[in-house]
Amino acid sequence: MLFRSWAQTADAHWPDVARVRDHVGVAHLVVTRHALVREVLTDPATYRPDNALDAVTPIPVAALRVLAGHRFRLPPTLANNGGASHPAIRAIVADALHPTRVAAQRPWLIDLVRERVGGIAATLDAGGAVDLYARLAADLPLLVLARLVELPDAPVGAVKEFARAALELFWAPLDAERQQALAAEVGRFHRVLREFAATGGGLAGSLRAAGHPPDVVVGALFFLLVAGQETTSQFLTLLLHRLAGEPAVLASLRDGTVAVADVVEEGLRLEPPIVTWRRVASVDTTLGGTAVPAGTSIVLWLARAGRDPATVDAPDEFRPGQRGSRRHLAFGAGAHRCVGDQLARMEAAVVVAETAPLLDGVSVLREPWCPDNLTFRMPDAFVVRRR
C-alpha cells in the first residue's frame, strides 16, 4: 500500500490512523483523515519534519561511499528543517517566488505554451501521436523556475534526470545495485550545484549575502530542483490525463461556465503529485485516539485527505468549485507549507487554459505510468491521438 497509495485513495476501508510496516520492516502510523493530517502539519513542535527527506530504503555503505566521494551533504534546510534557521531560509526562498514575481512570468509562459500547443495541434491534425508529458509538461516548470531564481545553465535533460534520480533514491523501494547507480547520478549533479552555490546570483547570491553557509545554499537549490519543478511537471501530466477523461469539464471550460482556477484546485485535490509526507513524533502523544510514542514515523496520506467526505461533497468526482475543493492539502499546511504554491497554480492555470481545446476528441494511447514510490507519482508519459 505505502508505495502505490494513489491507487487506493477511493478505498473506504481505512481507519483514521493505521499501523503499517514498510518493505524493510519499519513501522509507520498512516494518517488518513483531513483533520488529523492538518493537525500534524500545523504542530511542528509535536510532529517534527526531521525525517521528511530520510531515505525510505536505507542506503547501503557502498552507495554512501559514492555520495561521500562527491561530498554530498543534505543538512536541514527547508522541508526537513525544524530548527531556528528555517524561518530565515524560507523567507529568502519565498521572496524569490513571491506572487508578484510569479505573475510577471505569466505573459512569457503563455507565449511559450501557445507555441508548443500549436506544434502539438499540427501533429494531432496530421494524424500523429503526441506525448504530452515530453512535448509540454516535462520542462516547463524548470524553465520558469530558472528565470525566477537564476538557476545554473545546466542542460534541461540533465536536471530532469537528476531530479527523478533523487526522488527515486530517497523515496522508492530499491535494491543495492540500483541505489549505487542513483547515488552516482545524484552525487555528480550535487557537485555542479555546489560549484554554482559558491558563485551564482539570484537565490544563491541572496542566501550567501544573508550569511548562510555553502551547505545551506546547496540544500535549498537541491530541494527546489527536486520539489520546486519536478512535482509541477508531474501534476501537469496527471491533470491533463484526468481532463482527457472529463468531457463535461472540458465543455464547461469551452463555454466559460467553469473557472480555470477551480479546475486547477479540483485537480490538486484529486490528482496531487505528492501523495504522502512524513513527520516524526518528538514526544509521547495521542492522535485521533491512537497512542503515538516519541520517535514514531508518521506518514500523512495527503491524497486521501483530499477525498475526505467530511470536507468535500463529492469526494471521488471531478466537480470544479464544489464545497471543500480548495481545502486540499496538496501543498501541505503550517510552517512548512509549500512556498511555490502560487507558482504551481499559475503554471497549471496557463496550461489548462491553453491546452484544454486540444483534449476534446483525443484518444489516450498510453496512460501515465507511475513507479513505486512512497511520496511522488512520477508519471513517465501521456500519449494521445485524435479520434
Side-chain angles (χ1 to χ4, degrees), residues 148-238:
L148 283 169
V149 303
E150 298 181 31
L151 290 172
D153 294 328
V156 169
V159 177
K160 298 297 292 185
E161 289 174 7
F162 149 74
R164 292 178 74 89
L167 295 184
E168 188 178 353
L169 179 61
F170 290 103
W171 284 279
L174 301 167
D175 59 36
E177 183 178 356
R178 181 61 177 162
Q179 285 173 299
Q180 192 162 343
L182 291 168
E185 188 166 350
V186 170
R188 281 193 300 270
F189 199 85
H190 190 270
R191 186 189 297 270
V192 174
L193 286 181
R194 195 165 61 248
E195 293 169 355
F196 174 76
T199 59
L203 176 61
S206 297
L207 288 167
R208 288 198 314 273
H212 293 291
D215 279 357
V216 166
V217 182
V218 174
L221 294 172
F222 182 97
F223 189 71
L224 276 177
L225 285 173
V226 171
Q229 60 85 25
E230 185 62 32
T231 52
T232 307
S233 292
Q234 295 171 23
F235 174 56
L236 295 177
T237 306
L238 297 166

Side-chain angles (χ1 to χ4, degrees), residues 16-375:
D16 294 357
V17 180
R19 298 186 186 276
V20 175
R21 289 191 178 273
D22 65 21
H23 63 305
V24 293
V26 175
H28 307 270
L29 281 186
V30 177
V31 184
T32 70
R33 301 295 289 190
H34 184 281
L36 295 179
V37 171
R38 185 174 179 81
E39 178 182 336
V40 172
L41 287 171
T42 55
D43 184 359
T46 304
Y47 307 101
R48 292 182 58 84
D50 304 14
N51 65 338
L53 307 186
D54 289 355
V56 174
T57 304
I59 300 178
V61 172
L64 289 173
R65 285 177 179 153
V66 172
L67 291 172
H70 291 283
R71 293 170 51 201
F72 178 90
R73 290 184 294 273
L74 200 59
T77 303
L78 289 170
N80 62 338
N81 188 354
S85 66
H86 176 256
I89 298 169
R90 178 184 171 88
I92 294 172
V93 176
D95 185 63
L97 303 178
H98 192 276
T100 56
R101 301 192 75 230
V102 168
Q105 299 300 319
R106 191 182 187 99
W108 170 85
L109 182 62
I110 289 173
D111 288 343
L112 178 58
V113 172
R114 283 179 178 171
E115 178 184 350
R116 292 190 176 187
V117 167
I120 291 169
T123 301
L124 291 174
D125 292 344
V130 175
D131 180 353
L132 292 179
Y133 169 75
R135 291 276 296 270
L136 183 65
D139 65 343
L140 277 180
L142 175 58
L143 296 175
V144 180
L145 186 65
R147 289 168 63 91
L148 283 169
V149 303
E150 298 181 31
L151 290 172
D153 294 328
V156 169
V159 177
K160 298 297 292 185
E161 289 174 7
F162 149 74
R164 292 178 74 89
L167 295 184
E168 188 178 353
L169 179 61
F170 290 103
W171 284 279
L174 301 167
D175 59 36
E177 183 178 356
R178 181 61 177 162
Q179 285 173 299
Q180 192 162 343
L182 291 168
E185 188 166 350
V186 170
R188 281 193 300 270
F189 199 85
H190 190 270
R191 186 189 297 270
V192 174
L193 286 181
R194 195 165 61 248
E195 293 169 355
F196 174 76
T199 59
L203 176 61
S206 297
L207 288 167
R208 288 198 314 273
H212 293 291
D215 279 357
V216 166
V217 182
V218 174
L221 294 172
F222 182 97
F223 189 71
L224 276 177
L225 285 173
V226 171
Q229 60 85 25
E230 185 62 32
T231 52
T232 307
S233 292
Q234 295 171 23
F235 174 56
L236 295 177
T237 306
L238 297 166
L239 179 56
L240 292 175
H241 174 244
R242 180 72 188 227
L243 286 174
E246 299 285 349
V249 176
L250 290 174
S252 296
L253 280 168
R254 189 169 56 249
D255 64 25
T257 56
V258 66
V260 169
D262 287 340
V263 170
V264 171
E265 295 303 320
E266 190 73 337
L268 287 165
R269 183 182 72 82
L270 284 168
E271 303 291 348
I274 299 177
V275 289
T276 69
W277 204 245
R278 283 175 291 170
R279 288 290 186 265
V280 60
S282 61
V283 295
D284 292 342
T285 187
T286 58
L287 183 65
T290 298
V292 183
T296 299
S297 170
I298 299 169
V299 176
L300 304 171
W301 199 347
L302 306 178
R304 189 174 178 87
R307 297 179 186 234
D308 190 333
T311 63
V312 66
D313 287 336
D316 300 317
E317 297 179 25
F318 199 105
R319 293 187 184 178
Q322 68 167 310
R323 181 193 68 87
S325 179
R326 291 174 178 263
R327 293 185 62 193
H328 61 77
L329 297 170
F331 296 114
H336 285 82
R337 178 182 170 83
C338 175
V339 295
D341 58 341
Q342 295 306 310
L343 175 59
R345 285 181 164 113
M346 185 274 284
E347 293 170 329
V350 169
V351 168
V352 168
E354 300 298 328
T355 310
L358 283 180
L359 298 176
D360 271 331
V362 300
S363 296
V364 176
L365 299 184
R366 188 183 186 284
E367 296 186 347
W369 176 81
C370 303
D372 289 356
N373 196 284
L374 174 66
T375 292

